[in-house]
């Protein structure tokens, strides 16, 4: 390829996953890496989502790195500006800026099986890397449905993750499409200023009260001066959520009490029986993401806010037509319709050893060994990969577990020595995926009676982890070489050796182009620092405590 920079590790993305990976690399003593970012600043989804009212629905002290605690979070549930500022501080504190390459969108990455490295084409130049880490995340590429006539709409159209701050909504007739986590924050934020707001709702969400409040100065002082109090707070938040997991994954009927609380929350805010009926879900709570808000229902009860209990099916000029025939005239359309989660665009840009893209390999559904690696894509890892999402806790816990796996992956390559690569065995990937899908069968996400973004086009749940975060941490605390094929590139023959051996190279690669050879992973196991037993057929092992505390 053309002139390029070679690095040991290339990380794609600067959200929690990408910055977390960079911090762990530096703490491991690895400084030969770059972080490729398509935008001009760090932050990932917390940079892109800047809509009015944007905030996290996970408590602040749990939605942060264990190695970078923030004792000065201002609220129980912090807003987007504070979370983005936290990521900027992490970047500076751990000296990551020299590794950043902004405006460097990855246009393609291809595995070079002869040299055992990744060839990466970006908007700012070419790179090669021994290991490629995709940390783009599932909430990075907005999804806008193909609505007939949308192109001819004369007003303003934008997605919640690409908010148009130059457009003034005051006095406008606005349509909000969707009722997900973004929509329930946007609706109460813009309702006071718009002339009329129409919410197009295909499926009502379950909404619980949001136990938010300002964190007092005394609490902040205590968390700063007595770190044990901060750790205890984080540990309590984590422990409560760990105890909730079995209701989601094994006994969905136990969620009836939570459902009753949500119905009570709805009754208190919505007095109109007809509107309340529209807003009452007909599926088990937890099947879709449970939302938290104290202001969503009161906003919908306002006289200038309408709820259309149907999805948007057509646009005729400035008239929006719902699937039930309802027509609404609007000046602006805001889509809160989610992201490309099960069909991440980055998968179309990564080409593996067989010359096929990750998207092509995943056409029947995403699969990843321990949520991290894919067969046929050596030395490639996805942070927040298949079946690593959560329904009730902090994704930072899952990210940190995958970072443990990444670090051990690199240690194994060091131990193996020479030019080597690890490629997940198809049998190991399929066994892991089978075990996950078997466990998924009785979860609320599969039996709760809803159609959610957790499911792919084939109806498989390839996004959520059907267990506790501590289970996942144990499953990813180290790499089991028995699950991988070790690829090696032989050393180039010297001129004298070539002369002594003659011109022939029977069974070998053409001169000057060494071929990678497959080495049995079991024969390489002796090179492992601390050999781990093979995982039980079909699933993760639970063979010891985490090497790092969760809190």
């Amino acid at each position: 390829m053309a002139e390029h920079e070679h690095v040991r590790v290339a990380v794609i993305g600067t959200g929690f996953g990408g910055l977390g990976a960079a911090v762990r690399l530096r703490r491991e003593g690895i400084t030969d890496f770059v972080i490729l970012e398509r935008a001009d600043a760090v932050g990932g989804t917390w940079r892109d989502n800047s809509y009015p009212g944007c905030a996290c629905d996970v408590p602040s002290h749990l939605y942060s790195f264990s190695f970078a605690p923030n004792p000065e979070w201002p609220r129980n549930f912090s807003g987007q500006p504070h979370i983005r500022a936290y990521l900027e501080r992490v970047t500076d504190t751990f000296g990551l800026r020299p590794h950043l390459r902004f405006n460097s969108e990855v246009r393609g990455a291809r595995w070079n099986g002869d040299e055992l490295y990744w060839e990466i084409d970006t908007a700012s130049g070419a790179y090669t890397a021994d290991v490629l880490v995709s940390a783009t995340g599932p909430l990075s590429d907005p999804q806008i449905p193909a609505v007939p006539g949308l192109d001819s709409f004369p007003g303003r159209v934008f997605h919640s993750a690409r908010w148009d701050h130059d457009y003034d909504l005051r006095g406008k007739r606005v349509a909000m499409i969707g009722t997900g986590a973004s929509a329930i924050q946007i609706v109460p934020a813009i309702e006071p200023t718009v002339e009329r707001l129409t919410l197009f709702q295909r499926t009502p969400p379950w909404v619980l009260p949001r136990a938010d409040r300002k964190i007092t100065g005394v609490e902040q002082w205590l968390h700063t001066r007595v770190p044990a109090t901060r750790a205890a707070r984080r540990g309590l938040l984590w422990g409560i959520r760990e105890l909730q997991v079995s209701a989601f994954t094994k006994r969905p009927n136990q969620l009836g009490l939570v459902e009753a609380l949500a119905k009570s929350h709805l009754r208190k805010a919505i007095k109109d029986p007809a509107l309340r009926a529209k807003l009452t879900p007909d599926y088990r709570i937890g099947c879709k993401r449970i939302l938290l808000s104290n202001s969503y229902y009161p906003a919908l009860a306002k006289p200038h806010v309408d709820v259309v209990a149907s999805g948007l099916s057509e646009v005729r000029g400035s008239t929006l037509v719902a699937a039930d025939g309802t027509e609404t005239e609007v000046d602006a359309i805001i889509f809160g319709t989610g992201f490309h989660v099960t069909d991440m665009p980055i998968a179309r840009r990564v080409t593996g050893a067989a010359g096929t893209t990750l998207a092509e390999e995943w056409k029947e559904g995403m699969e990843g060994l321990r949520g991290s690696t894919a067969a046929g894509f050596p030395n490639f890892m996805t942070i927040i990969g298949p079946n690593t999402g959560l329904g009730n806790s902090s994704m930072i816990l899952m990210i940190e577990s995958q970072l443990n796996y990444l670090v051990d992956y690199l240690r194994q390559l060091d131990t193996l020595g020479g030019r080597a690569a690890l490629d997940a065995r198809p049998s190991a990937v399929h066994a892991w995926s089978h075990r996950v899908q078997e466990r998924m069968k009785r979860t609320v996400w599969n039996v709760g009676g809803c159609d959610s973004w957790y499911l792919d086009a084939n109806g498989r749940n390839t996004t959520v982890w059907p267990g506790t975060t501590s289970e996942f941490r144990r499953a990813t605390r180290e790499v089991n070489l028995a699950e991988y094929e070790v690829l090696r590139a032989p050393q180039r023959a010297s001129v004298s050796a070539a002369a002594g051996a003659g011109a022939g190279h029977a069974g070998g690669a053409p001169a000057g182009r060494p071929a990678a050879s497959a080495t049995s992973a079991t024969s390489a196991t002796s090179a492992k620092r601390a050999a781990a037993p093979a995982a039980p057929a079909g699933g993760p092992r639970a063979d010891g405590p985490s090497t790092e505390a969760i809190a």
Side-chain angles (χ1 to χ4, degrees), residues 369-454:
L369 177 57
R370 302 179 187 273
S372 303
T373 55
F377 293 79
N379 286 8
F380 174 76
M381 184 174 294
T382 301
I383 305 299
I384 312 183
N387 290 112
T388 57
L390 296 175
N392 76 315
S393 193
S394 171
M395 279 305 302
I396 312 307
L397 303 173
M398 301 296 279
I399 289 171
E400 288 198 34
S401 293
Q402 288 195 281
L403 299 184
N404 291 340
Y405 197 72
L406 168 63
V407 166
D408 196 56
Y409 192 102
L410 294 168
R411 289 171 182 163
Q412 299 313 316
L413 290 175
D414 282 345
T415 302
L416 289 168
R419 294 169 58 216
L422 294 176
D423 189 6
R425 293 181 180 277
S427 59
V429 175
H430 297 329
W432 173 266
S433 181
H434 176 74
R435 173 65 180 273
V436 169
Q437 292 304 319
E438 283 297 306
R439 293 182 63 179
M440 197 69 71
K441 286 181 179 179
R442 56 177 176 170
T443 66
V444 69
W445 308 301
N446 279 37
V447 303
C450 73
D451 180 17
S452 74
W453 58 264
Y454 298 143

Side-chain angles (χ1 to χ4, degrees), residues 271-536:
K271 304 304 181 183
D272 178 8
L275 178 57
R276 191 163 61 240
K278 286 183 181 181
L279 299 175
T280 302
D282 61 358
Y283 55 88
R284 173 63 74 187
I285 193 170
C287 185
K288 285 176 175 281
R289 184 175 177 180
I290 299 174
L291 306 181
L292 306 177
S293 179
N294 299 327
S295 55
Y296 178 63
Y297 286 148
L300 297 182
K302 296 292 181 65
H304 67 294
V305 178
D306 299 315
V307 177
V308 176
S310 183
L312 177 62
S313 66
E314 185 182 358
V315 177
R316 301 173 188 160
S318 59
T319 301
L320 274 56
V321 184
D324 65 1
T326 302
E327 296 187 2
T328 306
E329 292 276 335
V330 299
D331 303 307
I333 305 173
I334 303 170
F335 282 94
T337 45
F339 301 84
H340 289 277
V341 175
T342 59
D343 59 340
M344 293 185 286
I346 190 65
R348 296 194 293 269
R349 304 182 185 189
V350 179
T351 303
T356 54
T357 66
L358 192 58
E360 290 170 326
E361 294 295 326
W362 282 352
K363 63 184 177 182
E364 299 301 324
M366 298 189 299
E367 283 189 332
L369 177 57
R370 302 179 187 273
S372 303
T373 55
F377 293 79
N379 286 8
F380 174 76
M381 184 174 294
T382 301
I383 305 299
I384 312 183
N387 290 112
T388 57
L390 296 175
N392 76 315
S393 193
S394 171
M395 279 305 302
I396 312 307
L397 303 173
M398 301 296 279
I399 289 171
E400 288 198 34
S401 293
Q402 288 195 281
L403 299 184
N404 291 340
Y405 197 72
L406 168 63
V407 166
D408 196 56
Y409 192 102
L410 294 168
R411 289 171 182 163
Q412 299 313 316
L413 290 175
D414 282 345
T415 302
L416 289 168
R419 294 169 58 216
L422 294 176
D423 189 6
R425 293 181 180 277
S427 59
V429 175
H430 297 329
W432 173 266
S433 181
H434 176 74
R435 173 65 180 273
V436 169
Q437 292 304 319
E438 283 297 306
R439 293 182 63 179
M440 197 69 71
K441 286 181 179 179
R442 56 177 176 170
T443 66
V444 69
W445 308 301
N446 279 37
V447 303
C450 73
D451 180 17
S452 74
W453 58 264
Y454 298 143
L455 308 179
D456 64 18
N458 301 310
R460 293 177 68 241
N461 191 325
T462 58
T463 58
V464 184
W465 168 243
T468 64
T469 62
S470 53
E471 282 183 279
F472 189 74
R473 169 102 12 146
R474 290 193 296 270
T476 54
R477 70 187 182 96
E478 61 183 4
V479 170
N480 179 2
L481 282 182
E483 296 179 329
Y484 287 88
E485 184 177 26
V486 179
L487 307 179
R488 288 192 178 277
Q491 297 294 325
R492 300 180 190 276
S494 66
V495 174
S496 58
H505 50 265
R513 189 176 168 82
S517 62
T519 303
S520 168
T522 53
S523 68
T525 305
S526 60
K528 201 172 188 298
R529 291 181 300 106

Side-chain angles (χ1 to χ4, degrees), residues 208-230:
L208 289 172
R210 183 181 180 89
D212 191 24
R213 66 171 178 82
K214 182 179 179 181
I215 295 177
T216 66
V218 172
E219 290 172 287
Q220 293 174 341
W221 179 89
L222 193 61
H223 292 333
T224 300
R225 299 298 180 90
V226 187
T229 62
R230 183 183 64 233

